[in-house]
Amino acid sequence: MKTASAPTHPKDINQVILGDQPVSIAEFVAVARYGAKVSFSPGYCDRVNHSRSLIEKFLNENRIIYGVTTGFGSNVTEIISTEDAEVLQRNIVRSHAVSVGDPLEKEVVRAIQLMMLIHLGRGYSAVRLELLELIASLLNQGVTPFAPGDGSVGYLAPEAHMALVLIGEGRAWHKEELLPGREALERAGLTPVTLSCKEGLALTNGSSSVTAMAVLTLFNAIQATKTADIAGAMSFEALKGTIHAFDPRLHALKQHEEQAKTAQTLLRILKDSEIAETYKNYRVQDALSLRCIPQVHGASKRNLKDAAYTINNELNSVSDNPVIIPEEDGGIALMGGNFDGTYVGIQADIMCIAMGNLGKIAERRIDRLVNFHLSEMPSYLVRNPGLNNGYMIPQYTAVGLLGEIRILSHPASVENVPTSASQEDVVSFAYTASRKAYQISKKLSYILAIELMTAVQALDFHRPMKSSPVIEQVYNLIRAQVPTVEEDRFFYPDIVTIYQQIHEGDIVKVVEDMIGEME
């Protein structure tokens, strides 16, 4: 089957240059997840240096600028002398590093560090180039700050933990060893910096953590959505689905292009399936979890597209406060609220719902595969049920994961508790929204792994009839590491193996190599 080439996967990107071009989702994930190296273009360096020269000029002129010559939050009324500028910046980092609990995942910390480089490198934040070069060196040399993930209403605390390492404090991993921050830097041949005016504030400000987690979530969600189409097609085959439900004439009548394109994708995946052809008239119509795949998957895709638009905008925006605007008369510092994460927070909440719907329909397909009342196959997909439990309990796991997703799908962006003596009286809770969306993206992939695991087992009962050529390739990929179940065994490794095939894009790649890029 001749097709267009599949899109570049982040693990195939080795170098990302931050400069004048927008950073793509693939480039972002390449650095955060796969260790691609970061460097700066000449234009990036020029912007940063020019911005820095302006803040030093403002400081010499004794201009009143939030967080530079004033205190923070409700302490904005307190004027800080230029002699105390460095102390002020060190103090914000130390005092704000108060998040608690388990540390954020390594790829999340790396994503936040990269987000800092992108935002602060736009040339409106007045930080020194040497500070950004140190953050890039941490990324390039595998020094990962220890940043507890609980207790942040917007950003602030986890980012402060990361900033501590830059001044030789806090803790960080170097080559999988957790060390005091200064020692971790020394092991990597790096030297801590002394924060200058505006820098401590810039490191603990903006939507860095919110956007970083949202980008990782979006990438996971795209992988999962494509995988859901593949898993849905495999379950459809195994359950003797009536392929007429995917007829383009039907979907042309509904004014949602994602639905029609999903139906087209399913037909491409199922093309030349002996099983689908045999059972195309087996029923008048199937259960909703089969015939409504285009509608449900399409709706989730529509909302993920909307989220992608907003997240891409935020990824390449300036989210600092204050921002230093270069102008002909010497520039100006503008105080405002670009740090607010509401745009991303709302979309993160929507991504939770979109992914939850994919999990909901996938779990129902899993139940139909293992439920002998519905599947017309041996109970729990094992040849000797009773003595063997087969895939009885993995369906429980899918139900448990779906329950967790439902709880996490409660919107965080509508919550509000004022902080800083009500100077910050509207709090976005976007950090919480993005973090739970990131958690859901992984739980959804586990549900889809269970669906694929049960679907390939179900297809074994159709032999010698063949699946479509595309599904046969996916079947072979999974069966290369997860053999047919003849009797009960330890199923956890099987689930994790298929999860990794989803997470690393292996299953999607097999399909896109055959049919081109999926919707």
Side-chain angles (χ1 to χ4, degrees):
M1 190 179 293
K2 183 70 173 67
T3 67
S5 60
T8 302
H9 193 277
K11 61 186 173 186
D12 299 322
I13 299 173
N14 299 316
Q15 177 79 19
V16 174
I17 300 173
L18 302 182
D20 301 324
Q21 298 301 316
V23 177
S24 70
I25 301 296
E27 289 175 321
F28 192 95
V29 176
V31 174
R33 181 170 295 172
Y34 296 104
K37 304 299 183 183
V38 178
S39 61
F40 306 146
S41 74
Y44 180 104
C45 298
D46 290 343
R47 289 196 305 268
V48 170
N49 287 330
H50 180 58
S51 178
R52 182 64 197 180
S53 69
L54 289 177
I55 198 68
E56 291 176 351
K57 173 178 176 292
F58 297 166
L59 196 64
N60 290 332
E61 295 171 351
N62 288 316
R63 296 195 193 185
I64 303 301
I65 301 171
Y66 173 76
V68 177
T69 54
T70 76
F72 304 111
S74 63
N75 285 331
V76 65
T77 56
E78 303 295 330
I79 303 301
I80 307 299
S81 69
T82 56
E83 291 79 12
D84 288 330
E86 290 184 356
V87 175
L88 179 70
Q89 301 306 310
R90 184 184 66 219
N91 284 350
I92 189 174
V93 170
R94 286 177 171 173
S95 65
H96 283 50
V98 292
S99 55
V100 297
D102 294 333
L104 294 171
E105 294 90 336
K106 178 180 178 181
E107 69 171 34
V108 171
V109 174
R110 289 178 58 84
I112 295 171
Q113 291 175 300
L114 176 59
M115 196 71 255
M116 290 177 181
L117 294 180
I118 295 169
H119 280 172
L120 301 181
R122 299 287 293 174
Y124 297 93
S125 295
V127 299
R128 291 170 299 161
L129 183 61
E130 67 179 280
L131 176 65
L132 301 183
E133 288 174 334
L134 180 57
I135 297 173
S137 295
L138 263 63
L139 286 169
N140 292 340
Q141 299 189 42
V143 177
T144 305
F146 175 93
D150 295 344
S152 182
V153 296
Y155 38 85
L156 294 179
E159 294 176 15
H161 279 277
M162 298 177 204
L164 281 174
V165 177
L166 301 174
I167 62 175
E169 300 180 15
R171 291 188 291 170
W173 282 275
H174 178 258
K175 294 183 178 179
E176 308 305 323
E177 186 178 0
L178 184 59
L179 303 165
R182 183 175 294 275
E183 185 176 349
L185 292 178
E186 290 174 354
R187 294 271 189 100
L190 302 173
T191 303
V193 297
T194 298
L195 296 177
S196 186
C197 67
K198 180 68 167 60
E199 292 181 333
L201 175 61
L203 291 170
T204 56
N205 199 14
S207 64
S208 296
S209 55
V210 173
T211 308
M213 287 187 288
V215 173
L216 292 174
T217 299
L218 179 62
F219 180 78
N220 289 350
I222 291 170
Q223 292 276 88
T225 303
K226 293 180 176 183
T227 304
D229 284 351
I230 298 164
M234 294 182 75
S235 296
F236 184 90
E237 253 194 343
L239 292 166
K240 305 175 183 177
T242 304
I243 204 166
H244 299 308
F246 303 152
D247 191 308
R249 294 170 294 182
L250 172 66
H251 298 283
L253 300 176
K254 192 88 165 179
Q255 297 300 306
H256 299 294
E257 65 172 353
E258 294 79 18
Q259 175 183 324
K261 289 182 177 179
T262 300
Q264 292 169 9
T265 296
L266 291 165
L267 289 175
R268 288 155 63 200
I269 294 172
L270 291 165
K271 183 177 173 58
D272 297 328
S273 166
E274 185 180 349
I275 299 172
E277 177 63 24
T278 299
Y279 293 107
K280 65 182 180 181
N281 296 313
Y282 188 68
R283 301 184 189 92
V284 174
Q285 65 179 20
D286 295 304
L288 297 180
S289 58
L290 298 181
R291 61 182 154 108
C292 286
I293 293 174
Q295 289 83 356
V296 176
H297 289 202
S300 292
K301 291 173 185 178
R302 174 67 265 169
N303 284 282
L304 289 173
K305 283 183 179 179
D306 291 341
Y309 175 83
T310 296
I311 292 166
N312 269 301
N313 283 347
E314 191 73 24
L315 173 60
N316 293 288
S317 293
V318 174
S319 67
D320 204 357
N321 179 55
V323 294
I324 310 303
I325 307 291
E327 293 182 343
E328 291 183 3
D329 62 354
I332 186 172
L334 294 177
M335 278 66 80
N338 276 5
F339 54 82
D340 183 80
T342 301
Y343 274 105
V344 176
I346 290 173
Q347 294 302 325
D349 280 334
I350 290 172
M351 285 196 293
C352 291
I353 295 170
M355 290 185 289
N357 274 276
L358 291 175
K360 176 175 71 175
I361 193 171
E363 186 280 322
R364 287 294 79 204
R365 293 192 297 258
I366 293 167
D367 179 67
R368 298 193 79 84
L369 287 166
V370 302
N371 187 338
F372 68 95
H373 295 294
L374 303 173
S375 68
E376 303 176 11
M377 284 179 277
S379 181
Y380 305 114
L381 299 175
V382 68
R383 295 188 186 280
N384 190 5
L387 177 63
N388 294 290
N389 295 296
Y391 285 137
M392 177 193 295
I393 305 303
Q395 188 259 338
Y396 290 31
T397 303
V399 170
L401 290 166
L402 183 59
E404 294 166 12
I405 288 173
R406 286 170 174 160
I407 292 168
L408 290 171
S409 291
H410 173 80
S413 56
V414 298
E415 298 291 347
N416 190 55
V417 178
T419 57
S420 194
S422 281
Q423 172 72 4
E424 298 163 358
D425 55 349
V426 178
V427 177
S428 72
F429 279 91
Y431 174 90
T432 305
S434 283
R435 193 175 179 208
K436 66 190 181 66
Y438 177 71
Q439 294 169 340
I440 285 174
S441 72
K442 294 189 286 188
K443 294 177 189 294
L444 173 58
S445 292
Y446 277 115
I447 292 175
L448 294 171
I450 293 170
E451 182 178 8
L452 288 167
M453 181 178 72
T454 52
V456 294
Q457 181 77 5
L459 288 174
D460 285 334
F461 292 101
H462 285 277
R463 300 304 188 196
M465 278 199 296
K466 291 289 188 181
S467 299
S468 73
V470 174
I471 290 180
E472 287 290 339
Q473 288 298 313
V474 177
Y475 176 93
N476 291 336
L477 176 68
I478 294 172
R479 279 287 178 249
Q481 298 187 61
V482 179
T484 298
V485 176
E486 302 293 348
E487 59 182 4
D488 284 351
R489 64 171 182 253
F490 183 29
F491 292 129
Y492 170 81
D494 296 346
I495 298 171
V496 172
T497 294
I498 301 173
Y499 171 87
Q500 288 298 328
Q501 291 177 329
I502 296 170
H503 188 70
E504 294 300 313
D506 298 336
I507 288 172
V508 170
K509 184 178 187 303
V510 164
V511 174
E512 291 191 327
D513 282 348
M514 297 184 72
I515 68 172
E517 185 172 2
M518 299 169 67
E519 165 71 8

